[in-house]
Structure formats: C-alpha cells, structure tokens
Amino acid sequence: DAGITQSPRHKVTETGTPVTLRCHQTENHRYMYWYRQDPGHGLRLIHYSYGVKDTDKGEVSDGYSVSRSKTEDFLLTLESATSSQTSVYFCAISLAGGSSTDTQYFGPGTRLTVL
Amino acid sequence: KQEVTQIPAALSVPEGENLVLNCSFTDSAIYNLQWFRQDPGKGLTSLLLIQSSQREQTSGRLNASLDKSSGRSTLYIAASQPGDSATYLCAVRWSAPLVFGKGTRLSVIA
C-alpha cells in the first residue's frame, strides 16, 4: 500500500467552526488531491496540488481552501463548516499528472460530521 | 463536460456467475482509465489501470477492456464469489485529477 495517512480519521464539529484535515504521504509524489464522497454523487474533486505551493480548484471547491508548504503534507481547511460539508474526505497522490502509466493512490478517508 | 457513467447502479448475482460491469465516458482523449474497488466504510483499492494505448488488462479473475472510440470500458469478473461483493468505481484521467463514475454496487449471493 502507498504510504498515505489522513488525520483525523473521524471528526464531529459544529456549524461555523473551522476545520483542518491533514494528508501526509511518504512516497515523495508530486501531485496530491482532495476528493469528497457523498451518496448519489460519487467522488468529486475539491482541490489538488501539483507541487509545493502550487494548487488548483476542482469541481466543488467553494467553502474550502488548501495549502501545501511541504511535499509530504496537503492540508484541507473548511473556514466555517456547514452541514452540507458533512462527507467522507479522501486524499490521493500520484507521481505525475499527464502520464498514461500514472496510478492514483488513495488514503483511508476522513469521516466529517457537521452538526 | 467530461463525464463518466456507470450502469447498472446495483447488481445482484448468484455465486459462480461471470459478470460484466459497464463504464462509459464522454471524451475519448484520455490518458488512462482505472477501476477501483471500495468495501463499505473503507477506502479505494486500485484493481486495474488501462493506458490509453491498451485494449485490455488482466489480474487474476478480473479483466478490464477499453474502447476509446466508443467511450466504453468493461470490467469482467469471472466465477464470482461472495468476497467480490463491494462497490466498483470507474475513473477516467483526462488531466491530473481523476473523474469518477458513481459506481456499481455488486452483491454476490452464496
């Protein structure tokens, strides 16, 4: 298994509070991604990073920000959590971005509940 | 818009049957296509990756095919077992991030 950890694995918070999720990799992969998974919607991209301090928005980026100050860590922040952000969040990594041989590997997920 | 569709959403079969899961996508200019397995409450496990230049990939009882011109991929599972019960996700790479279908939930009944 690829060396990807996510913390926390479970979190319950209240509406309006800030929340930060952490993804840590030991593979030295350049690309890192944050997806959310919701019933009826599948996995959708929130943000991704193609290098330290280089990030781009995904399909569902509103209400989320990200930061990547080191190759191994990619942080996802909900500035003011809302109930619609209750979801399972997955981090993923890949070595390259536009290669036909490149595989994406996923972390174990973080289950976030916003009350 | 680049989209991935999986049909059916759910499938129930008796143990021992051979089965096919379908995936279709809207733009043939792909880098690759990946099939994943997800058990309830768990993360994603990569099963097979098919490069854009390939027609199929095999791993054990699994065989995935790719037809870019028609925008279709199939995942064939031979001699299904109860342990194959899971959600199977198809994901296409047009650029760095993957675009996922909503998955097919498979139940194999003993």
Side-chain angles (χ1 to χ4, degrees), chain B residues 41-79:
Chain B
K42 303 294 185 183
L44 281 70
T45 301
S46 181
L47 297 173
L48 290 164
L49 179 144
I50 310 178
Q51 300 175 41
S52 60
S53 60
Q54 297 175 328
R55 294 300 298 263
E56 65 179 326
Q57 280 287 332
T58 298
S59 175
R61 294 183 294 109
L62 306 179
N63 175 279
S65 68
L66 175 65
D67 183 344
K68 281 197 310 179
S69 61
S70 66
R72 293 183 181 181
S73 176
T74 62
L75 180 66
Y76 174 83
I77 302 177

PDB file of all heavy atoms in Angstrom, chain B residues 41-79:
ATOM      1  N   GLY B  41     -17.609   1.551   4.004  1.00  0.00           N
ATOM      2  CA  GLY B  41     -16.899   2.271   5.051  1.00  0.00           C
ATOM      3  C   GLY B  41     -15.393   2.284   4.902  1.00  0.00           C
ATOM      4  O   GLY B  41     -14.682   2.713   5.824  1.00  0.00           O
ATOM      5  N   LYS B  42     -14.892   1.837   3.760  1.00  0.00           N
ATOM      6  CA  LYS B  42     -13.449   1.726   3.558  1.00  0.00           C
ATOM      7  C   LYS B  42     -12.973   2.658   2.446  1.00  0.00           C
ATOM      8  O   LYS B  42     -13.763   3.343   1.796  1.00  0.00           O
ATOM      9  CB  LYS B  42     -13.082   0.282   3.218  1.00  0.00           C
ATOM     10  CG  LYS B  42     -13.510  -0.725   4.262  1.00  0.00           C
ATOM     11  CD  LYS B  42     -12.791  -0.546   5.569  1.00  0.00           C
ATOM     12  CE  LYS B  42     -13.152  -1.640   6.561  1.00  0.00           C
ATOM     13  NZ  LYS B  42     -12.494  -1.436   7.887  1.00  0.00           N
ATOM     14  N   GLY B  43     -11.669   2.637   2.219  1.00  0.00           N
ATOM     15  CA  GLY B  43     -11.085   3.435   1.153  1.00  0.00           C
ATOM     16  C   GLY B  43     -11.147   2.725  -0.183  1.00  0.00           C
ATOM     17  O   GLY B  43     -11.817   1.709  -0.335  1.00  0.00           O
ATOM     18  N   LEU B  44     -10.433   3.293  -1.162  1.00  0.00           N
ATOM     19  CA  LEU B  44     -10.439   2.765  -2.526  1.00  0.00           C
ATOM     20  C   LEU B  44      -9.201   1.926  -2.774  1.00  0.00           C
ATOM     21  O   LEU B  44      -8.085   2.357  -2.461  1.00  0.00           O
ATOM     22  CB  LEU B  44     -10.471   3.906  -3.536  1.00  0.00           C
ATOM     23  CG  LEU B  44     -11.805   4.584  -3.803  1.00  0.00           C
ATOM     24  CD1 LEU B  44     -12.266   5.407  -2.622  1.00  0.00           C
ATOM     25  CD2 LEU B  44     -11.718   5.440  -5.052  1.00  0.00           C
ATOM     26  N   THR B  45      -9.407   0.780  -3.380  1.00  0.00           N
ATOM     27  CA  THR B  45      -8.304  -0.095  -3.768  1.00  0.00           C
ATOM     28  C   THR B  45      -8.250  -0.157  -5.276  1.00  0.00           C
ATOM     29  O   THR B  45      -9.248  -0.496  -5.929  1.00  0.00           O
ATOM     30  CB  THR B  45      -8.512  -1.514  -3.199  1.00  0.00           C
ATOM     31  OG1 THR B  45      -8.586  -1.441  -1.775  1.00  0.00           O
ATOM     32  CG2 THR B  45      -7.371  -2.427  -3.610  1.00  0.00           C
ATOM     33  N   SER B  46      -7.093   0.174  -5.854  1.00  0.00           N
ATOM     34  CA  SER B  46      -6.954   0.123  -7.299  1.00  0.00           C
ATOM     35  C   SER B  46      -6.899  -1.325  -7.771  1.00  0.00           C
ATOM     36  O   SER B  46      -6.134  -2.130  -7.246  1.00  0.00           O
ATOM     37  CB  SER B  46      -5.674   0.855  -7.716  1.00  0.00           C
ATOM     38  OG  SER B  46      -5.528   0.839  -9.124  1.00  0.00           O
ATOM     39  N   LEU B  47      -7.732  -1.656  -8.753  1.00  0.00           N
ATOM     40  CA  LEU B  47      -7.766  -3.013  -9.294  1.00  0.00           C
ATOM     41  C   LEU B  47      -6.956  -3.122 -10.582  1.00  0.00           C
ATOM     42  O   LEU B  47      -6.117  -4.006 -10.727  1.00  0.00           O
ATOM     43  CB  LEU B  47      -9.222  -3.416  -9.577  1.00  0.00           C
ATOM     44  CG  LEU B  47     -10.152  -3.499  -8.380  1.00  0.00           C
ATOM     45  CD1 LEU B  47     -11.583  -3.748  -8.844  1.00  0.00           C
ATOM     46  CD2 LEU B  47      -9.701  -4.579  -7.418  1.00  0.00           C
ATOM     47  N   LEU B  48      -7.258  -2.257 -11.520  1.00  0.00           N
ATOM     48  CA  LEU B  48      -6.624  -2.312 -12.826  1.00  0.00           C
ATOM     49  C   LEU B  48      -6.503  -0.905 -13.389  1.00  0.00           C
ATOM     50  O   LEU B  48      -7.385  -0.070 -13.171  1.00  0.00           O
ATOM     51  CB  LEU B  48      -7.441  -3.160 -13.805  1.00  0.00           C
ATOM     52  CG  LEU B  48      -7.484  -4.661 -13.551  1.00  0.00           C
ATOM     53  CD1 LEU B  48      -8.619  -5.304 -14.340  1.00  0.00           C
ATOM     54  CD2 LEU B  48      -6.157  -5.302 -13.948  1.00  0.00           C
ATOM     55  N   LEU B  49      -5.422  -0.669 -14.109  1.00  0.00           N
ATOM     56  CA  LEU B  49      -5.240   0.574 -14.858  1.00  0.00           C
ATOM     57  C   LEU B  49      -5.024   0.204 -16.312  1.00  0.00           C
ATOM     58  O   LEU B  49      -4.180  -0.662 -16.622  1.00  0.00           O
ATOM     59  CB  LEU B  49      -4.053   1.372 -14.328  1.00  0.00           C
ATOM     60  CG  LEU B  49      -3.744   2.687 -15.045  1.00  0.00           C
ATOM     61  CD1 LEU B  49      -3.250   3.742 -14.056  1.00  0.00           C
ATOM     62  CD2 LEU B  49      -2.715   2.508 -16.153  1.00  0.00           C
ATOM     63  N   ILE B  50      -5.786   0.833 -17.199  1.00  0.00           N
ATOM     64  CA  ILE B  50      -5.620   0.612 -18.636  1.00  0.00           C
ATOM     65  C   ILE B  50      -5.116   1.906 -19.252  1.00  0.00           C
ATOM     66  O   ILE B  50      -5.766   2.948 -19.161  1.00  0.00           O
ATOM     67  CB  ILE B  50      -6.938   0.219 -19.325  1.00  0.00           C
ATOM     68  CG1 ILE B  50      -7.644  -0.907 -18.594  1.00  0.00           C
ATOM     69  CG2 ILE B  50      -6.670  -0.186 -20.771  1.00  0.00           C
ATOM     70  CD1 ILE B  50      -8.969  -1.268 -19.223  1.00  0.00           C
ATOM     71  N   GLN B  51      -3.967   1.835 -19.863  1.00  0.00           N
ATOM     72  CA  GLN B  51      -3.421   3.012 -20.543  1.00  0.00           C
ATOM     73  C   GLN B  51      -4.213   3.287 -21.822  1.00  0.00           C
ATOM     74  O   GLN B  51      -4.847   2.386 -22.379  1.00  0.00           O
ATOM     75  CB  GLN B  51      -1.955   2.779 -20.892  1.00  0.00           C
ATOM     76  CG  GLN B  51      -1.067   2.514 -19.686  1.00  0.00           C
ATOM     77  CD  GLN B  51       0.344   2.175 -20.102  1.00  0.00           C
ATOM     78  OE1 GLN B  51       0.889   2.784 -21.028  1.00  0.00           O
ATOM     79  NE2 GLN B  51       0.942   1.216 -19.418  1.00  0.00           N
ATOM     80  N   SER B  52      -4.130   4.509 -22.305  1.00  0.00           N
ATOM     81  CA  SER B  52      -4.906   4.910 -23.480  1.00  0.00           C
ATOM     82  C   SER B  52      -4.546   4.090 -24.715  1.00  0.00           C
ATOM     83  O   SER B  52      -5.369   3.908 -25.612  1.00  0.00           O
ATOM     84  CB  SER B  52      -4.688   6.391 -23.773  1.00  0.00           C
ATOM     85  OG  SER B  52      -3.327   6.657 -24.017  1.00  0.00           O
ATOM     86  N   SER B  53      -3.318   3.562 -24.755  1.00  0.00           N
ATOM     87  CA  SER B  53      -2.879   2.790 -25.920  1.00  0.00           C
ATOM     88  C   SER B  53      -3.224   1.308 -25.812  1.00  0.00           C
ATOM     89  O   SER B  53      -2.974   0.541 -26.747  1.00  0.00           O
ATOM     90  CB  SER B  53      -1.366   2.938 -26.088  1.00  0.00           C
ATOM     91  OG  SER B  53      -0.698   2.458 -24.934  1.00  0.00           O
ATOM     92  N   GLN B  54      -3.760   0.886 -24.680  1.00  0.00           N
ATOM     93  CA  GLN B  54      -4.049  -0.527 -24.446  1.00  0.00           C
ATOM     94  C   GLN B  54      -5.520  -0.840 -24.699  1.00  0.00           C
ATOM     95  O   GLN B  54      -6.388   0.031 -24.615  1.00  0.00           O
ATOM     96  CB  GLN B  54      -3.678  -0.906 -23.009  1.00  0.00           C
ATOM     97  CG  GLN B  54      -2.187  -0.754 -22.725  1.00  0.00           C
ATOM     98  CD  GLN B  54      -1.845  -1.023 -21.271  1.00  0.00           C
ATOM     99  OE1 GLN B  54      -2.640  -0.749 -20.376  1.00  0.00           O
ATOM    100  NE2 GLN B  54      -0.650  -1.554 -21.041  1.00  0.00           N
ATOM    101  N   ARG B  55      -5.800  -2.127 -24.955  1.00  0.00           N
ATOM    102  CA  ARG B  55      -7.173  -2.570 -25.171  1.00  0.00           C
ATOM    103  C   ARG B  55      -7.718  -3.324 -23.964  1.00  0.00           C
ATOM    104  O   ARG B  55      -8.934  -3.349 -23.744  1.00  0.00           O
ATOM    105  CB  ARG B  55      -7.253  -3.469 -26.410  1.00  0.00           C
ATOM    106  CG  ARG B  55      -6.941  -2.761 -27.704  1.00  0.00           C
ATOM    107  CD  ARG B  55      -7.911  -1.608 -27.946  1.00  0.00           C
ATOM    108  NE  ARG B  55      -9.282  -2.064 -28.072  1.00  0.00           N
ATOM    109  CZ  ARG B  55      -9.882  -2.276 -29.236  1.00  0.00           C
ATOM    110  NH1 ARG B  55      -9.222  -2.105 -30.355  1.00  0.00           N
ATOM    111  NH2 ARG B  55     -11.157  -2.647 -29.272  1.00  0.00           N
ATOM    112  N   GLU B  56      -6.822  -3.952 -23.187  1.00  0.00           N
ATOM    113  CA  GLU B  56      -7.294  -4.664 -22.012  1.00  0.00           C
ATOM    114  C   GLU B  56      -6.160  -4.914 -21.038  1.00  0.00           C
ATOM    115  O   GLU B  56      -4.976  -4.837 -21.387  1.00  0.00           O
ATOM    116  CB  GLU B  56      -7.952  -5.990 -22.396  1.00  0.00           C
ATOM    117  CG  GLU B  56      -7.040  -7.004 -23.024  1.00  0.00           C
ATOM    118  CD  GLU B  56      -7.797  -8.296 -23.337  1.00  0.00           C
ATOM    119  OE1 GLU B  56      -8.714  -8.661 -22.575  1.00  0.00           O
ATOM    120  OE2 GLU B  56      -7.469  -8.934 -24.349  1.00  0.00           O
ATOM    121  N   GLN B  57      -6.565  -5.200 -19.790  1.00  0.00           N
ATOM    122  CA  GLN B  57      -5.642  -5.573 -18.728  1.00  0.00           C
ATOM    123  C   GLN B  57      -6.300  -6.676 -17.913  1.00  0.00           C
ATOM    124  O   GLN B  57      -7.520  -6.693 -17.736  1.00  0.00           O
ATOM    125  CB  GLN B  57      -5.339  -4.370 -17.813  1.00  0.00           C
ATOM    126  CG  GLN B  57      -4.322  -3.396 -18.336  1.00  0.00           C
ATOM    127  CD  GLN B  57      -2.915  -3.947 -18.285  1.00  0.00           C
ATOM    128  OE1 GLN B  57      -2.585  -4.780 -17.446  1.00  0.00           O
ATOM    129  NE2 GLN B  57      -2.077  -3.490 -19.200  1.00  0.00           N
ATOM    130  N   THR B  58      -5.458  -7.584 -17.420  1.00  0.00           N
ATOM    131  CA  THR B  58      -5.979  -8.717 -16.653  1.00  0.00           C
ATOM    132  C   THR B  58      -5.242  -8.828 -15.335  1.00  0.00           C
ATOM    133  O   THR B  58      -4.031  -8.601 -15.264  1.00  0.00           O
ATOM    134  CB  THR B  58      -5.812 -10.021 -17.443  1.00  0.00           C
ATOM    135  OG1 THR B  58      -6.580  -9.920 -18.651  1.00  0.00           O
ATOM    136  CG2 THR B  58      -6.297 -11.211 -16.648  1.00  0.00           C
ATOM    137  N   SER B  59      -6.003  -9.195 -14.288  1.00  0.00           N
ATOM    138  CA  SER B  59      -5.413  -9.503 -12.995  1.00  0.00           C
ATOM    139  C   SER B  59      -6.273 -10.577 -12.351  1.00  0.00           C
ATOM    140  O   SER B  59      -7.398 -10.332 -11.920  1.00  0.00           O
ATOM    141  CB  SER B  59      -5.381  -8.254 -12.106  1.00  0.00           C
ATOM    142  OG  SER B  59      -4.908  -8.576 -10.815  1.00  0.00           O
ATOM    143  N   GLY B  60      -5.746 -11.806 -12.332  1.00  0.00           N
ATOM    144  CA  GLY B  60      -6.499 -12.902 -11.738  1.00  0.00           C
ATOM    145  C   GLY B  60      -7.820 -13.136 -12.457  1.00  0.00           C
ATOM    146  O   GLY B  60      -7.852 -13.332 -13.668  1.00  0.00           O
ATOM    147  N   ARG B  61      -8.916 -13.066 -11.705  1.00  0.00           N
ATOM    148  CA  ARG B  61     -10.243 -13.281 -12.298  1.00  0.00           C
ATOM    149  C   ARG B  61     -10.831 -12.010 -12.915  1.00  0.00           C
ATOM    150  O   ARG B  61     -11.966 -12.030 -13.395  1.00  0.00           O
ATOM    151  CB  ARG B  61     -11.197 -13.808 -11.208  1.00  0.00           C
ATOM    152  CG  ARG B  61     -10.847 -15.194 -10.679  1.00  0.00           C
ATOM    153  CD  ARG B  61     -11.867 -15.688  -9.653  1.00  0.00           C
ATOM    154  NE  ARG B  61     -11.847 -14.891  -8.434  1.00  0.00           N
ATOM    155  CZ  ARG B  61     -12.809 -14.046  -8.082  1.00  0.00           C
ATOM    156  NH1 ARG B  61     -13.875 -13.883  -8.857  1.00  0.00           N
ATOM    157  NH2 ARG B  61     -12.717 -13.373  -6.957  1.00  0.00           N
ATOM    158  N   LEU B  62     -10.090 -10.942 -12.898  1.00  0.00           N
ATOM    159  CA  LEU B  62     -10.572  -9.666 -13.420  1.00  0.00           C
ATOM    160  C   LEU B  62      -9.944  -9.374 -14.774  1.00  0.00           C
ATOM    161  O   LEU B  62      -8.749  -9.581 -14.974  1.00  0.00           O
ATOM    162  CB  LEU B  62     -10.233  -8.521 -12.458  1.00  0.00           C
ATOM    163  CG  LEU B  62     -10.683  -8.641 -11.015  1.00  0.00           C
ATOM    164  CD1 LEU B  62     -10.233  -7.419 -10.229  1.00  0.00           C
ATOM    165  CD2 LEU B  62     -12.176  -8.828 -10.911  1.00  0.00           C
ATOM    166  N   ASN B  63     -10.801  -8.872 -15.662  1.00  0.00           N
ATOM    167  CA  ASN B  63     -10.319  -8.425 -16.971  1.00  0.00           C
ATOM    168  C   ASN B  63     -11.030  -7.143 -17.316  1.00  0.00           C
ATOM    169  O   ASN B  63     -12.263  -7.074 -17.299  1.00  0.00           O
ATOM    170  CB  ASN B  63     -10.581  -9.492 -18.041  1.00  0.00           C
ATOM    171  CG  ASN B  63     -10.199  -9.016 -19.436  1.00  0.00           C
ATOM    172  OD1 ASN B  63     -10.948  -8.308 -20.101  1.00  0.00           O
ATOM    173  ND2 ASN B  63      -9.002  -9.375 -19.866  1.00  0.00           N
ATOM    174  N   ALA B  64     -10.249  -6.102 -17.613  1.00  0.00           N
ATOM    175  CA  ALA B  64     -10.842  -4.828 -17.995  1.00  0.00           C
ATOM    176  C   ALA B  64     -10.487  -4.535 -19.445  1.00  0.00           C
ATOM    177  O   ALA B  64      -9.352  -4.735 -19.861  1.00  0.00           O
ATOM    178  CB  ALA B  64     -10.334  -3.713 -17.091  1.00  0.00           C
ATOM    179  N   SER B  65     -11.474  -4.070 -20.188  1.00  0.00           N
ATOM    180  CA  SER B  65     -11.257  -3.699 -21.584  1.00  0.00           C
ATOM    181  C   SER B  65     -11.502  -2.214 -21.773  1.00  0.00           C
ATOM    182  O   SER B  65     -12.197  -1.575 -20.972  1.00  0.00           O
ATOM    183  CB  SER B  65     -12.188  -4.500 -22.491  1.00  0.00           C
ATOM    184  OG  SER B  65     -13.531  -4.089 -22.276  1.00  0.00           O
ATOM    185  N   LEU B  66     -10.925  -1.686 -22.833  1.00  0.00           N
ATOM    186  CA  LEU B  66     -11.077  -0.264 -23.148  1.00  0.00           C
ATOM    187  C   LEU B  66     -11.303  -0.101 -24.637  1.00  0.00           C
ATOM    188  O   LEU B  66     -10.535  -0.623 -25.456  1.00  0.00           O
ATOM    189  CB  LEU B  66      -9.828   0.516 -22.729  1.00  0.00           C
ATOM    190  CG  LEU B  66      -9.781   1.990 -23.102  1.00  0.00           C
ATOM    191  CD1 LEU B  66     -10.877   2.773 -22.383  1.00  0.00           C
ATOM    192  CD2 LEU B  66      -8.410   2.587 -22.805  1.00  0.00           C
ATOM    193  N   ASP B  67     -12.369   0.633 -24.981  1.00  0.00           N
ATOM    194  CA  ASP B  67     -12.624   1.006 -26.370  1.00  0.00           C
ATOM    195  C   ASP B  67     -12.783   2.516 -26.395  1.00  0.00           C
ATOM    196  O   ASP B  67     -13.862   3.053 -26.132  1.00  0.00           O
ATOM    197  CB  ASP B  67     -13.891   0.320 -26.886  1.00  0.00           C
ATOM    198  CG  ASP B  67     -14.149   0.623 -28.359  1.00  0.00           C
ATOM    199  OD1 ASP B  67     -13.550   1.584 -28.886  1.00  0.00           O
ATOM    200  OD2 ASP B  67     -14.952  -0.079 -28.985  1.00  0.00           O
ATOM    201  N   LYS B  68     -11.684   3.206 -26.693  1.00  0.00           N
ATOM    202  CA  LYS B  68     -11.716   4.675 -26.649  1.00  0.00           C
ATOM    203  C   LYS B  68     -12.664   5.262 -27.670  1.00  0.00           C
ATOM    204  O   LYS B  68     -13.354   6.251 -27.403  1.00  0.00           O
ATOM    205  CB  LYS B  68     -10.312   5.232 -26.889  1.00  0.00           C
ATOM    206  CG  LYS B  68      -9.405   5.196 -25.706  1.00  0.00           C
ATOM    207  CD  LYS B  68      -8.214   6.122 -25.898  1.00  0.00           C
ATOM    208  CE  LYS B  68      -7.517   5.920 -27.218  1.00  0.00           C
ATOM    209  NZ  LYS B  68      -6.383   6.840 -27.406  1.00  0.00           N
ATOM    210  N   SER B  69     -12.709   4.668 -28.849  1.00  0.00           N
ATOM    211  CA  SER B  69     -13.510   5.255 -29.926  1.00  0.00           C
ATOM    212  C   SER B  69     -14.993   5.303 -29.568  1.00  0.00           C
ATOM    213  O   SER B  69     -15.705   6.234 -29.957  1.00  0.00           O
ATOM    214  CB  SER B  69     -13.307   4.482 -31.226  1.00  0.00           C
ATOM    215  OG  SER B  69     -13.722   3.137 -31.069  1.00  0.00           O
ATOM    216  N   SER B  70     -15.456   4.306 -28.815  1.00  0.00           N
ATOM    217  CA  SER B  70     -16.858   4.295 -28.411  1.00  0.00           C
ATOM    218  C   SER B  70     -17.041   4.861 -27.013  1.00  0.00           C
ATOM    219  O   SER B  70     -18.171   4.985 -26.541  1.00  0.00           O
ATOM    220  CB  SER B  70     -17.426   2.882 -28.469  1.00  0.00           C
ATOM    221  OG  SER B  70     -16.800   2.060 -27.497  1.00  0.00           O
ATOM    222  N   GLY B  71     -15.946   5.191 -26.331  1.00  0.00           N
ATOM    223  CA  GLY B  71     -16.037   5.752 -24.979  1.00  0.00           C
ATOM    224  C   GLY B  71     -16.551   4.755 -23.967  1.00  0.00           C
ATOM    225  O   GLY B  71     -17.392   5.093 -23.124  1.00  0.00           O
ATOM    226  N   ARG B  72     -16.023   3.517 -24.026  1.00  0.00           N
ATOM    227  CA  ARG B  72     -16.537   2.470 -23.137  1.00  0.00           C
ATOM    228  C   ARG B  72     -15.412   1.623 -22.559  1.00  0.00           C
ATOM    229  O   ARG B  72     -14.385   1.391 -23.200  1.00  0.00           O
ATOM    230  CB  ARG B  72     -17.503   1.555 -23.868  1.00  0.00           C
ATOM    231  CG  ARG B  72     -18.786   2.227 -24.294  1.00  0.00           C
ATOM    232  CD  ARG B  72     -19.733   1.258 -24.955  1.00  0.00           C
ATOM    233  NE  ARG B  72     -20.958   1.920 -25.374  1.00  0.00           N
ATOM    234  CZ  ARG B  72     -21.970   1.314 -25.969  1.00  0.00           C
ATOM    235  NH1 ARG B  72     -21.907   0.031 -26.219  1.00  0.00           N
ATOM    236  NH2 ARG B  72     -23.044   1.987 -26.312  1.00  0.00           N
ATOM    237  N   SER B  73     -15.656   1.175 -21.321  1.00  0.00           N
ATOM    238  CA  SER B  73     -14.805   0.194 -20.678  1.00  0.00           C
ATOM    239  C   SER B  73     -15.699  -0.810 -19.963  1.00  0.00           C
ATOM    240  O   SER B  73     -16.799  -0.464 -19.508  1.00  0.00           O
ATOM    241  CB  SER B  73     -13.864   0.859 -19.669  1.00  0.00           C
ATOM    242  OG  SER B  73     -13.096  -0.113 -18.972  1.00  0.00           O
ATOM    243  N   THR B  74     -15.241  -2.039 -19.897  1.00  0.00           N
ATOM    244  CA  THR B  74     -15.963  -3.057 -19.150  1.00  0.00           C
ATOM    245  C   THR B  74     -15.013  -3.741 -18.183  1.00  0.00           C
ATOM    246  O   THR B  74     -13.823  -3.902 -18.465  1.00  0.00           O
ATOM    247  CB  THR B  74     -16.590  -4.118 -20.065  1.00  0.00           C
ATOM    248  OG1 THR B  74     -15.551  -4.784 -20.775  1.00  0.00           O
ATOM    249  CG2 THR B  74     -17.575  -3.509 -21.041  1.00  0.00           C
ATOM    250  N   LEU B  75     -15.546  -4.109 -17.034  1.00  0.00           N
ATOM    251  CA  LEU B  75     -14.820  -4.920 -16.062  1.00  0.00           C
ATOM    252  C   LEU B  75     -15.518  -6.265 -15.982  1.00  0.00           C
ATOM    253  O   LEU B  75     -16.687  -6.350 -15.607  1.00  0.00           O
ATOM    254  CB  LEU B  75     -14.795  -4.258 -14.693  1.00  0.00           C
ATOM    255  CG  LEU B  75     -14.061  -5.042 -13.599  1.00  0.00           C
ATOM    256  CD1 LEU B  75     -12.555  -5.115 -13.917  1.00  0.00           C
ATOM    257  CD2 LEU B  75     -14.264  -4.412 -12.228  1.00  0.00           C
ATOM    258  N   TYR B  76     -14.803  -7.304 -16.380  1.00  0.00           N
ATOM    259  CA  TYR B  76     -15.330  -8.669 -16.399  1.00  0.00           C
ATOM    260  C   TYR B  76     -14.801  -9.390 -15.166  1.00  0.00           C
ATOM    261  O   TYR B  76     -13.584  -9.399 -14.918  1.00  0.00           O
ATOM    262  CB  TYR B  76     -14.876  -9.363 -17.684  1.00  0.00           C
ATOM    263  CG  TYR B  76     -15.227 -10.817 -17.788  1.00  0.00           C
ATOM    264  CD1 TYR B  76     -16.482 -11.215 -18.233  1.00  0.00           C
ATOM    265  CD2 TYR B  76     -14.297 -11.801 -17.476  1.00  0.00           C
ATOM    266  CE1 TYR B  76     -16.804 -12.559 -18.351  1.00  0.00           C
ATOM    267  CE2 TYR B  76     -14.606 -13.147 -17.581  1.00  0.00           C
ATOM    268  CZ  TYR B  76     -15.858 -13.519 -18.024  1.00  0.00           C
ATOM    269  OH  TYR B  76     -16.179 -14.848 -18.141  1.00  0.00           O
ATOM    270  N   ILE B  77     -15.715  -9.973 -14.394  1.00  0.00           N
ATOM    271  CA  ILE B  77     -15.331 -10.761 -13.216  1.00  0.00           C
ATOM    272  C   ILE B  77     -15.764 -12.194 -13.463  1.00  0.00           C
ATOM    273  O   ILE B  77     -16.951 -12.479 -13.664  1.00  0.00           O
ATOM    274  CB  ILE B  77     -15.990 -10.223 -11.926  1.00  0.00           C
ATOM    275  CG1 ILE B  77     -15.610  -8.760 -11.711  1.00  0.00           C
ATOM    276  CG2 ILE B  77     -15.569 -11.070 -10.727  1.00  0.00           C
ATOM    277  CD1 ILE B  77     -16.277  -8.124 -10.496  1.00  0.00           C
ATOM    278  N   ALA B  78     -14.802 -13.081 -13.476  1.00  0.00           N
ATOM    279  CA  ALA B  78     -15.088 -14.492 -13.731  1.00  0.00           C
ATOM    280  C   ALA B  78     -15.363 -15.227 -12.424  1.00  0.00           C
ATOM    281  O   ALA B  78     -14.761 -14.935 -11.391  1.00  0.00           O
ATOM    282  CB  ALA B  78     -13.910 -15.138 -14.444  1.00  0.00           C
ATOM    283  N   ALA B  79     -16.287 -16.185 -12.507  1.00  0.00           N
ATOM    284  CA  ALA B  79     -16.573 -17.076 -11.374  1.00  0.00           C
ATOM    285  C   ALA B  79     -16.714 -16.291 -10.068  1.00  0.00           C
ATOM    286  O   ALA B  79     -15.925 -16.460  -9.134  1.00  0.00           O
ATOM    287  CB  ALA B  79     -15.483 -18.131 -11.253  1.00  0.00           C
TER     288      ALA B  79
END
